[in-house]
Amino acid sequence: MILYVPHWAEEHGVLGMVIPVYSYAMPLFFTSLATAGMTEIWQSLIDGIAVGSVLSLSAIGLTLIYGILRLCNFAHGDYLTLGAYLTFAGNVWLNLDIWLSAVLGLAGVVVIGLISDRLLWLPLRAKKASNNTLMIASIGLAYVLRNGIILIFG
């Protein structure tokens, strides 16, 4: 550890102003960056773009739902999780190609979404339910989807 006294502390006579600088943290970071091959750097870049794409698509979907229906759908993330698990199940359990599994996951989420629309949202819209009621129903649907995922996939 190196003790660093800022120049302004010396000028103003503040001798108690000492900032500890841990000299081992930064060299380790730069050493690991220098020893990492270009493969790891490109892989990190591609992973970051993939995760950012999923998050941006999720945000766009949530914004569209709120913009059209004026409903903050708390089950939106659970639909995304269900699609990911269905894709995983198609790829690992059914030994399907990853792209075919992604289509299977998408189709499964569409079917579940249509079922929830017919059984939950259509009757609530027909009764002219308030925003609070719709929000509570959305939270309930999120719990049902989340616990269904836990029940099936563990």
Side-chain angles (χ1 to χ4, degrees), residues 10-74:
E10 291 175 359
E11 292 172 2
H12 298 300
V14 185
L15 296 177
M17 183 63 190
V18 177
I19 300 173
V21 177
Y22 295 99
S23 60
Y24 58 84
M26 291 307 283
L28 284 177
F29 171 73
F30 287 116
T31 303
S32 65
L33 187 61
T35 58
M38 286 304 290
T39 305
E40 287 88 1
I41 293 172
W42 282 110
Q43 185 65 44
S44 296
L45 181 70
I46 292 170
D47 288 345
I49 291 171
V51 170
S53 299
V54 169
L55 291 175
S56 65
L57 283 174
S58 172
I60 289 169
L62 196 58
T63 304
L64 280 173
I65 290 172
Y66 183 77
I68 294 170
L69 299 176
R70 294 289 181 221
L71 167 69
C72 186
N73 188 4
F74 290 102

Side-chain angles (χ1 to χ4, degrees), residues 33-129:
L33 187 61
T35 58
M38 286 304 290
T39 305
E40 287 88 1
I41 293 172
W42 282 110
Q43 185 65 44
S44 296
L45 181 70
I46 292 170
D47 288 345
I49 291 171
V51 170
S53 299
V54 169
L55 291 175
S56 65
L57 283 174
S58 172
I60 289 169
L62 196 58
T63 304
L64 280 173
I65 290 172
Y66 183 77
I68 294 170
L69 299 176
R70 294 289 181 221
L71 167 69
C72 186
N73 188 4
F74 290 102
H76 190 77
D78 296 305
Y79 280 120
L80 290 171
T81 304
L82 179 64
Y85 271 107
L86 290 176
T87 302
F88 171 78
N91 186 266
V92 174
W93 293 348
L94 302 176
N95 294 322
L96 297 174
D97 183 49
I98 188 68
W99 299 108
L100 185 59
S101 298
V103 170
L104 176 75
L106 177 67
V109 170
V110 166
V111 167
I112 297 295
L114 289 174
I115 289 171
S116 68
D117 183 56
R118 295 292 180 236
L119 295 179
L120 179 68
W121 301 117
L122 192 64
L124 287 174
R125 283 192 301 262
K127 291 181 181 180
K128 305 274 188 211

